[in-house]
Every structure is written in C-alpha cells, then in structure tokens.
Amino acid sequence: MSLIDAYGRRINYLRLSVTDRCNLRCSYCMPAQGVAKVACGDVLRYEELLKLAQAAVRVGIEKIRVTGGEPLVRKGLPDFLAELAGLPGLRQLVLTTNGVLLARQAAALKAAGVQRLNISLDSLQPEVFARVTRGGDLNRVLAGIAAAEALGFPLKINMVVMRGVNDGEVADFAAMTLAKPITVRFIEYMPAARVDDFRSLLVPGSEILDLLARRFRVEATGRGPLCGPSRNYRIAGAAGSIGLITPLSGHFCGECNRLRVTATGTVRSCLFGSDAVDLKPLLAGNDAAALEQALRRLVEGKPAGHRLDEPALAPAPFAMAAIGG
Ligand SMILES: C[S@@+](CC[C@H](N)C(=O)[O-])C[C@H]1O[C@@H](n2cnc3c(N)ncnc32)[C@H](O)[C@@H]1O
Ligand code: SF4
C-alpha cells in the first residue's frame, strides 16, 4: 500500500508529536512566556496515538519520527515506543529530542527499539545555549549525547543557524564530525515564533557552505532512502557527515514525503499550509477504515509547496513546539 499525492510524491514519513510540553523555551520555537498549555484531556492518549500510527502504517507510512514539544517529558514513553517499534510494515522508528533528559532515558529508548536519535543543539557555548533556550543547561545535553553515543545510537545533531547568534560556531559544529561517526545538520531558520525578524536571522544554506569551506575541504555525498530533505556533505577524511536543510533558500517541497500529527490529533500535510484535519473524533471510535480514508484524503489535498518566498503570504506566528518541527 502506498500514499501518493496529487503531485506524484510518495508520502511515507509521519512526524508524530506526543506532547506540546517542553522543558526548554527556545526563542525561535516559542514565545518567552511559553505556549498556552493544552488541557491534559485534549492530548492524545497513547492508545489513540497507537491507533493513528497503525492506520498510517497500513496506508503506506514507513518511517515515524516521535517528536514534541519535548517527547522525553511525557511519562510512559518507552512502552509506547516499543509498541510502535513492533508495528508490522514500519521500517524506521526515530526520535527528536532536545537531549536534556536523554542521559537518564537513552537506555530505555534503545531497549524500546528506537533506531536513531536527532538531538537539537544550537550552541557549544554555555551562555549562548542558555540564551537561545532561555535557561537551558548545555552540560545536560552534552551528557545526553555522550550517553546515546555510548549505547551505539546513530546520532544526528541539528543546529538551527541564526545570524549574529550562533553562525560563528558553524565550523566548530562541523568539526564534531571529524573523529566521530555522527551527522551534523545545519538548518535554515524558519519563521515560527518570530516572524517579523526571521529574515534578519536567516543564514542561507549557500552562506553556511561558504563558512564551512573557509576551514574544511567539503565534498558532496549521495542521499539514502527515507532520508528526508537534507543535502549531504562530508569533510574530506571525516568519520561523520554534514547535512544542509534549506527550507527557505532552496525549498524541497517537490520532494516532501511527510505528514505531521500534533499532540492533540490534528494532522497536517504541510508545516506552513492551512489544511488540517482533526482526527480526534475518529480516534475515539473504532472505524479503522474511516481513519485511513481521512489520511488518504489529506494526502490528496497536500499542497505543492509553501510560499514563504512571497513576503505578502508570510504565516502568522506559531509555536513550532505545537507541531513538532
Ligand atoms: C519543535 S522541536 C521538537 C523536538 C525537541 N523538543 C527538539 O527540540 O528537538 C523539533 C525541531 O524543530 C526545530 N525548530 C523549531 N523552531 C524552528 C525554527 N523557527 N526554524 C527552524 N527549526 C526550528 C528545532 O530546532 C528542533 O530541531
Ligand atoms: S525547539 Fe524543541 S526544545 Fe526548543 S522550545 Fe521547541 S520544542 Fe522545546
């Protein structure tokens, strides 16, 4: 079974948010005061999340990324992940975390069957990290990364590059790949919590490559299946690799293969699109066919792409934490 949209794209990747709560307050993701908390009863129960994931896999999803808010703040997560890992037809189960609680939980994630971890880290300097995350402790994230490495998790470190904030650290992040088989991915800043000034913070991918080329010999490499929108590179002779994700300067909508589900059960086919379907009523019932149909219909209506390059159509501010990135 496969999900093909109106533009011939095969949709096989689901980003599943398990909570809207977070233990950080990154400036690019949410406002300083945080986001209005969704009432506990509105967040999907694990049973509902599993029902949704089962339907998604039946219609053609092959990869699930568990995200948030911060997924590791949700109680009982490893048991849920183990259920996901056991879904017949699911080829990849991966998770994105800010790493703060990872040192304590990495072993349980591994035992549950999570195959890979993406860890968001925007600075290697404690003060800059604390400023970007509004109070986060870099050491806890570094301890989480070390714990995940010790368990043999394949790791991707995701850095959102922001002009005048952390763009001076691009080469230092890339240097992490020299001796270790990790992937460091540089992500262009997207308009979310801060829409007005996003263009001044945006460092286009071409400039990120220039920053890298000043210090390293960087070679382009190939792409793997289910690999998402990253353009991949390697520093000559390095153990790890580098990815560049350019949603703004070189948007990859033509290759987009994903759906996103919020913690309250709203499914969206485009991060910046207005189409959204509330699956909660269907998840409360037992009509598996209706659930599959709703997913198929959403995929049929998936827009060709976002239009962020048209300033007049810039989106209203939103918390990325509510959607899961
Ligand atoms: C919303 S977070 C959820 C998972 C987890 N809390 C974390 O930070 O990894 C998922 C990803 O979205 C990214 N993100 C959030 N706001 C962004 C923005 N304005 N531009 C680019 N990436 C953003 C984060 O850096 C993170 O890698
Ligand atoms: S990016 Fe992740 S860690 Fe940072 S505030 Fe958003 S959800 Fe939390």
Side-chain angles (χ1 to χ4, degrees):
M1 186 70 75
S2 55
L3 275 175
I4 310 286
D5 75 4
Y7 301 91
R9 295 171 296 194
R10 180 151 174 251
I11 311 304
N12 55 7
Y13 173 20
L14 178 71
R15 295 178 69 99
L16 190 59
S17 172
V18 295
T19 180
D20 62 316
R21 314 256 158 128
C22 189
N23 46 4
L24 296 179
R25 295 267 172 281
C26 302
S27 57
Y28 52 72
C29 178
M30 58 170 76
Q33 69 278 17
V35 283
K37 285 202 179 92
V38 169
C40 271
D42 289 340
V43 172
L44 294 185
R45 290 176 285 120
Y46 281 130
E47 189 190 326
E48 293 169 310
L49 285 163
L50 189 64
K51 211 187 269 187
L52 198 161
Q54 285 165 332
V57 171
R58 278 197 304 271
V59 296
I61 293 295
E62 299 174 304
K63 168 177 172 181
I64 295 181
R65 173 174 305 285
V66 171
T67 177
E70 172 48 38
L72 301 192
V73 302
R74 182 148 179 190
K75 291 212 174 72
L77 186 71
D79 288 345
F80 169 65
L81 293 170
E83 301 234 45
L84 285 185
L87 290 181
L90 187 70
R91 289 169 56 197
Q92 283 189 26
L93 176 63
V94 297
L95 179 136
T96 296
T97 173
N98 61 27
V100 171
L101 299 174
L102 190 56
R104 243 188 284 155
Q105 297 192 25
L109 300 181
K110 185 82 177 175
V114 174
Q115 291 155 298
R116 279 192 287 112
L117 295 175
N118 284 11
I119 300 168
S120 306
L121 175 62
D122 302 316
S123 178
L124 295 169
Q125 298 178 17
E127 328 72 61
V128 178
F129 181 83
R131 203 174 333 122
V132 170
T133 56
R134 300 195 179 99
D137 177 356
L138 175 63
N139 283 327
R140 294 188 69 178
V141 180
L142 297 180
I145 292 174
E149 274 177 332
L151 287 161
F153 268 114
L155 293 185
K156 289 185 182 165
I157 309 285
N158 286 342
M159 177 202 200
V160 177
V161 184
M162 292 165 274
R163 192 178 301 286
V165 178
N166 61 357
D167 50 344
E169 295 186 58
V170 162
D172 295 342
F173 269 75
M176 291 199 280
T177 69
L178 289 171
K180 293 181 179 181
I182 56 170
T183 302
V184 168
R185 302 195 311 172
F186 300 107
I187 304 177
E188 282 179 353
Y189 184 96
M190 290 184 273
R194 296 161 64 176
V195 168
D196 292 347
D197 62 349
F198 95 91
R199 281 180 204 285
S200 63
L201 288 163
L202 171 69
V203 182
S206 56
E207 202 178 318
I208 296 173
L209 278 180
D210 286 346
L211 288 171
L212 292 173
R214 277 188 212 160
R215 197 156 129 199
F216 306 108
R217 188 151 63 80
V218 179
E219 305 160 342
T221 60
R223 305 181 54 184
L226 289 172
C227 67
S230 172
R231 278 186 284 139
N232 299 325
Y233 302 86
R234 186 181 295 276
I235 298 175
S241 58
I242 290 173
L244 196 57
I245 304 186
T246 56
L248 272 293
S249 72
H251 72 75
F252 35 71
C253 303
E255 298 160 54
C256 184
N257 63 347
R258 53 187 68 181
L259 292 180
R260 297 177 154 82
V261 177
T262 69
T264 56
T266 298
V267 58
R268 301 166 71 128
S269 63
C270 176
L271 183 54
F272 296 103
S274 53
D275 63 328
V277 177
D278 180 8
L279 294 178
K280 204 147 198 263
L282 287 173
L283 291 167
N286 279 318
D287 190 345
L291 195 51
E292 291 171 23
Q293 185 59 22
L295 291 170
R296 278 203 208 89
R297 234 182 259 136
L298 186 81
V299 165
E300 279 162 21
K302 183 171 165 78
H306 69 61
R307 297 166 72 187
L308 295 172
D309 37 4
E310 297 174 41
L313 297 173
F318 68 96
M320 198 72 94
I323 303 181

